[in-house]
Amino acid sequence: MEKDITIYDIARELDLSPTTISRALNDHPAVNKKTKQRISEAAAQMGYRSNLFASNLRRQRTNTIGLIVPRLDSPFHSSVIAGMEKVANEAGYNLIISQSLETLQKEIANANTMFNSRVDGLLVSLSFETETLEHFENFVSKGIPVIFYDRVAEHKECTSIVIDNLQAAYKATSHLIEQGCTNIVHITGNLKRNVYADRLKGFKYALIDHNLPFSEENVIISKMTEEAGTLAAQQILEMDPLPDGIFVSNDTCAVSCLKALKKANISIPRDIAVIGFNNDAISRVVEPNLTTINYPGQEMGEVALRVLLLQLNGSRDNVPSNTINLRSELIIRESSLKSKSNAKKKAVHL
Amino acid sequence: MEKDITIYDIARELDLSPTTISRALNDHPAVNKKTKQRISEAAAQMGYRSNLFASNLRRQRTNTIGLIVPRLDSPFHSSVIAGMEKVANEAGYNLIISQSLETLQKEIANANTMFNSRVDGLLVSLSFETETLEHFENFVSKGIPVIFYDRVAEHKECTSIVIDNLQAAYKATSHLIEQGCTNIVHITGNLKRNVYADRLKGFKYALIDHNLPFSEENVIISKMTEEAGTLAAQQILEMDPLPDGIFVSNDTCAVSCLKALKKANISIPRDIAVIGFNNDAISRVVEPNLTTINYPGQEMGEVALRVLLLQLNGSRDNVPSNTINLRSELIIRESSLKSKSNAKKKAVHL
DNA sequence: CAAATATATGAAATCGGTTTCAATAATTGC
DNA sequence: GCAATTATTGAAACCGATTTCATATATTTG
């Protein structure tokens, strides 16, 4: 446990001032090239490492970006994070990550920690419970950029990054209708969240545009977990008449629902067609393969981080627009194909 | 963008010294209760927030833990991280996360970043390519605890957290043999990594103990991805005679292999029994359901972090042991049950 | 009641870079 | 050859909290 080498040690060694050492190590133009050379050699040889705290303290920035996510153990969020880490790493930023576990209380606590850690920017995907954005006002009023992605909320100072959930749901529902479904159930999550509210809207509009009735009873609000899918299946099995199509707001829930229906001797897609959302790995494994919406997680993460970097480096008012929409697509697989003849029609880009 | 409130501002406001403010905010016993009360009220009212850099600079610690992981978008690693975040958060630590993407070069770069960020401790699961632990010597020689988990390597100063891969593989292989398999293929990853080397050993020992021949040709080394599973299936289909059992070192690869075999009209488990590793969600979705080893990701994350906290807070020599073994278990499902009569035998704890 | 102890507070140094302002040395222009 | 400009370096203040050591007051003890 030897003590750290500081720029003062290097300065003493080379008989220069700490000022020059600091400048040289930051590649400041006002330092002679040869001096720079000598200094960087000495630094390497002496095993110097910069003290980021001293630096941060003085410059008032941290090169650290905060991330608050509902759950870390979700395929979608882990691919988003993978994308974020990649871009952040390349740009020399650290990522501090915390999870709200879908509770408002933890989301607030995490936001405060991030604020005290003085992150340069914040990325957030909201919890189920969140109603207002008060706990992010600290950031906004200090000019720290906050970016919402996927589970977003309107804020005039903040950029949001989403896919067009309404349109995706509209396409999915329309596809079910084209397959001959007339009595479709929609399983979705907490309607406080845009993703679920928008998908419900898309579902509803598709029905209306195709002259089908919309009924509240055909909408099941759930936690969207594996268990929730099983429960939803039970609920569906008690419906009379049975629906002939189900549009579920994520694949985890869609798959467990599908499995439970199969166990009850329902034929998929003949009796009931099923569509999920996310294009998780399980959607390609379940039998029949699940029709779903391809959701660009990694790309969303990369875009979110790039937009944040723009706001950090560029001028503050450099924000191109308040909401960025990423492309998503309907991936048609067996679970929704009632008419086999349609099987050729592969992927519909939205 | 108002300027920050500091303890000096509070001191001036209350006509006290910064020393007292600092102590009061840290709940130091030598400050009068009433004074503390006044100070914390003033702090709240003035919107004070502690400057962690100043604090870190002075105390020479960061309350930050570094994590280097091969990939963020893996079900196993995301559950590990979820566990770590939970414990870290409760203990008031931040987690800085980066991914090596299975390359040594990025692992080194990330380790250096962590070192410069002066993390209080480091958690690592090694990349495929890593051969030596030189890039962690910085930490060790400064007394910064480094903990390896899952993909570990021997280091006399560092704790490792693993499951007993050898035993798990032994049990899995023995189970295949009990089901009547006599010609078993093992698909696994880079043997530099303990997890794969140990599983190979367990595979080999089980064969030997049951008087079955071990042949190098029955071991397929792959990247363990979805594509690798499909490729491995092709390789297997060209074998003559076909094997009657396959033990794969992860579920992703096992499932894609199983799917490819089914597509080639191989009956699972009748023609070939299949066992995976990890107990990912897909193992419960694929048909037939996949026999696999349940791998306690979340728990491993929690334990890793708790051990690290012990080393950070307790005495440096408080390390209970160099290697911590977590329990894993064989979960028997249809994909390996050649004799249906055995179906009752549910889970074998290791 | 004096001495000893406990309680409460503050002055000043410190952590290690960064930055402003000033100074000196080297170079250029006319 | 001298003024003007440019290149290079340094002294000292600063960022904001923590901590050591000292001091003043309050309380207890013999």
Side-chain angles (χ1 to χ4, degrees):
Chain A
M1 257 212 257
E2 329 99 41
K3 61 220 161 298
D4 273 321
I5 304 292
T6 72
I7 55 170
Y8 297 94
D9 299 321
I10 302 179
R12 209 175 315 115
E13 186 76 14
L14 299 184
D15 201 26
L16 287 166
S17 76
T19 311
T20 304
I21 310 296
S22 172
R23 284 203 266 249
L25 294 174
N26 286 305
D27 205 24
H28 193 286
V31 176
N32 189 299
K33 280 196 194 103
K34 292 188 180 171
T35 315
K36 267 184 198 169
Q37 181 66 19
R38 277 175 62 214
I39 292 176
S40 68
E41 275 167 15
Q45 188 266 315
M46 295 171 73
Y48 168 80
R49 65 167 170 162
S50 162
N51 186 321
L52 286 182
F53 304 125
S55 173
N56 288 338
L57 174 59
R58 182 61 222 233
R59 320 171 105 124
Q60 304 282 35
R61 73 195 312 249
T62 65
N63 263 62
T64 297
I65 290 168
L67 170 61
I68 303 177
V69 85
R71 312 201 71 89
L72 283 164
D73 55 349
S74 119
F76 171 68
H77 282 110
S78 35
S79 63
V80 171
I81 297 173
M84 289 176 173
E85 195 279 339
K86 187 161 156 275
V87 179
N89 199 301
E90 284 165 7
Y93 279 80
N94 281 330
L95 261 193
I96 293 186
I97 304 181
S98 67
Q99 51 187 344
S100 65
L101 297 174
E102 304 288 9
T103 72
L104 175 60
Q105 180 223 327
K106 286 213 74 186
E107 186 172 287
I108 293 177
N110 290 337
N112 288 333
T113 305
M114 297 290 179
F115 188 65
N116 288 329
S117 300
R118 284 178 156 71
V119 294
D120 291 341
L122 186 67
L123 299 160
V124 185
S125 188
L126 297 168
S127 85
F128 270 165
E129 299 179 355
T130 309
E131 307 242 17
T132 73
L133 301 181
E134 283 167 22
H135 44 306
F136 302 114
E137 279 309 314
N138 278 340
F139 295 85
V140 175
S141 65
K142 275 236 153 32
I144 301 169
V146 176
I147 290 185
F148 298 103
Y149 69 91
D150 191 49
R151 306 235 206 121
V152 305
E154 275 296 317
H155 191 297
K156 66 180 186 310
E157 306 275 354
C158 304
T159 304
S160 288
I161 296 167
V162 290
I163 60 166
D164 189 333
N165 285 288
L166 192 154
Q167 198 182 6
Y170 188 97
K171 293 268 177 177
T173 310
S174 298
H175 168 69
L176 285 175
I177 297 170
E178 282 159 19
Q179 293 295 311
C181 298
T182 56
N183 181 19
I184 306 174
V185 164
H186 179 38
I187 303 177
T188 195
N190 193 318
L191 296 179
K192 283 179 200 161
R193 293 283 69 80
N194 65 303
V195 287
Y196 303 119
D198 289 352
R199 288 171 201 174
L200 175 56
K201 269 190 210 156
F203 171 72
K204 192 188 283 188
Y205 294 168
L207 293 181
I208 293 171
D209 288 356
H210 291 83
N211 297 311
L212 287 174
F214 168 78
S215 147
E216 295 281 355
E217 284 148 29
N218 275 12
V219 176
I220 299 177
I221 306 293
S222 83
K223 302 235 168 190
M224 304 309 288
T225 58
E226 200 173 329
E227 302 76 52
T230 313
L231 290 175
Q234 287 168 14
Q235 201 174 331
I236 287 168
L237 287 168
E238 285 168 9
M239 291 180 171
D240 185 21
L242 276 184
D244 51 13
I246 310 180
F247 168 43
V248 191
S249 266
N250 81 26
D251 285 346
T252 303
C253 189
V255 164
S256 64
C257 181
L258 190 157
K259 278 170 66 183
L261 291 176
K262 272 174 71 180
K263 196 173 276 177
N265 282 316
I266 304 286
S267 162
I268 312 289
R270 208 191 58 210
D271 299 339
I272 304 184
V274 179
I275 297 189
F277 212 109
N278 275 21
N279 195 22
D280 288 344
I282 44 169
S283 69
R284 293 185 297 274
V285 171
V286 70
E287 293 188 18
N289 279 195
L290 186 67
T291 295
T292 189
I293 302 286
N294 187 36
Y295 210 127
Q298 174 116 6
E299 185 190 347
M300 188 174 276
E302 292 178 14
V303 169
L305 215 113
R306 262 193 270 276
V307 170
L308 182 56
L309 290 178
L310 266 183
Q311 299 190 13
L312 287 176
N313 301 326
S315 58
R316 173 65 62 250
D317 318 301
N318 198 5
V319 190
S321 78
N322 202 262
T323 300
I324 294 174
N325 260 276
L326 298 183
R327 208 161 44 79
S328 65
E329 58 185 337
L330 178 64
I331 296 184
I332 298 174
R333 300 203 185 98
E334 301 154 37
S335 75
S336 66
L337 285 180
K338 294 212 177 201
S339 46
K340 293 285 164 142
S341 57
N342 278 4
K344 303 149 212 162
K345 183 176 162 188
K346 275 320 246 192
V348 180
H349 285 259
L350 299 182
Chain B
M1 260 212 256
E2 329 99 40
K3 61 218 161 297
D4 273 321
I5 303 293
T6 73
I7 55 171
Y8 298 95
D9 299 322
I10 303 179
R12 208 174 315 116
E13 186 75 15
L14 298 184
D15 201 25
L16 286 166
S17 76
T19 311
T20 304
I21 309 297
S22 172
R23 284 204 264 251
L25 294 174
N26 287 304
D27 206 24
H28 193 285
V31 176
N32 188 298
K33 279 198 194 103
K34 290 186 181 172
T35 316
K36 268 184 198 169
Q37 180 67 19
R38 276 175 63 214
I39 291 176
S40 68
E41 274 169 13
Q45 187 265 315
M46 296 170 73
Y48 167 80
R49 65 167 169 163
S50 163
N51 185 322
L52 286 184
F53 304 126
S55 175
N56 288 338
L57 174 59
R58 182 61 224 233
R59 325 169 101 126
Q60 305 282 35
R61 72 193 317 246
T62 65
N63 262 62
T64 297
I65 291 168
L67 170 61
I68 302 177
V69 87
R71 314 201 67 90
L72 283 164
D73 53 349
S74 118
F76 172 67
H77 282 110
S78 37
S79 64
V80 171
I81 297 173
M84 290 176 173
E85 196 280 339
K86 187 160 157 275
V87 179
N89 198 302
E90 284 166 5
Y93 278 81
N94 281 330
L95 260 194
I96 293 186
I97 304 181
S98 68
Q99 51 187 343
S100 65
L101 298 174
E102 304 288 9
T103 72
L104 175 61
Q105 179 223 328
K106 286 214 75 186
E107 186 173 285
I108 293 177
N110 290 338
N112 289 332
T113 305
M114 297 292 180
F115 189 64
N116 288 329
S117 300
R118 282 179 158 70
V119 294
D120 291 341
L122 186 67
L123 299 161
V124 185
S125 188
L126 297 169
S127 84
F128 270 164
E129 300 179 354
T130 308
E131 307 242 17
T132 74
L133 300 181
E134 284 167 21
H135 45 305
F136 302 114
E137 279 309 314
N138 279 341
F139 295 87
V140 175
S141 66
K142 275 234 153 33
I144 301 168
V146 176
I147 290 184
F148 298 103
Y149 69 90
D150 191 47
R151 305 233 206 122
V152 306
E154 274 297 317
H155 191 298
K156 65 180 187 311
E157 306 276 353
C158 304
T159 304
S160 288
I161 297 166
V162 290
I163 61 166
D164 189 333
N165 286 288
L166 193 155
Q167 197 180 8
Y170 188 97
K171 293 268 179 180
T173 310
S174 299
H175 168 68
L176 285 175
I177 297 169
E178 282 159 20
Q179 292 296 310
C181 298
T182 56
N183 180 19
I184 306 174
V185 164
H186 179 38
I187 303 177
T188 196
N190 193 318
L191 295 179
K192 282 180 201 162
R193 292 285 69 79
N194 65 303
V195 287
Y196 302 120
D198 289 352
R199 287 171 203 174
L200 175 56
K201 271 190 210 157
F203 171 71
K204 193 189 284 190
Y205 294 168
L207 292 182
I208 293 171
D209 288 356
H210 291 83
N211 296 312
L212 287 174
F214 167 78
S215 147
E216 294 282 354
E217 283 147 31
N218 275 11
V219 177
I220 299 177
I221 307 292
S222 82
K223 303 235 166 192
M224 305 308 287
T225 57
E226 200 173 329
E227 303 76 50
T230 314
L231 290 174
Q234 287 168 14
Q235 201 174 330
I236 287 168
L237 287 169
E238 285 167 9
M239 290 181 172
D240 184 20
L242 277 183
D244 51 11
I246 310 179
F247 168 44
V248 191
S249 265
N250 81 26
D251 285 346
T252 304
C253 189
V255 165
S256 63
C257 181
L258 191 157
K259 278 168 67 183
L261 292 176
K262 272 174 72 179
K263 197 173 276 175
N265 283 316
I266 304 286
S267 162
I268 314 288
R270 208 191 56 209
D271 300 337
I272 305 184
V274 180
I275 297 189
F277 212 109
N278 274 21
N279 196 22
D280 288 344
I282 44 169
S283 70
R284 292 185 297 273
V285 171
V286 70
E287 293 188 16
N289 279 195
L290 186 67
T291 294
T292 190
I293 302 286
N294 187 37
Y295 211 127
Q298 174 116 8
E299 187 190 347
M300 188 174 276
E302 292 179 14
V303 169
L305 216 113
R306 262 193 271 274
V307 171
L308 182 56
L309 290 178
L310 268 183
Q311 299 191 12
L312 288 176
N313 302 326
S315 59
R316 173 66 62 249
D317 318 300
N318 198 5
V319 190
S321 79
N322 201 263
T323 300
I324 295 175
N325 259 277
L326 298 183
R327 208 161 44 77
S328 65
E329 59 186 338
L330 178 64
I331 296 184
I332 297 173
R333 300 204 185 98
E334 300 153 38
S335 75
S336 67
L337 284 180
K338 295 211 178 201
S339 45
K340 294 284 163 142
S341 56
N342 278 4
K344 303 147 210 160
K345 184 177 162 188
K346 274 320 245 191
V348 179
H349 285 260
L350 299 184

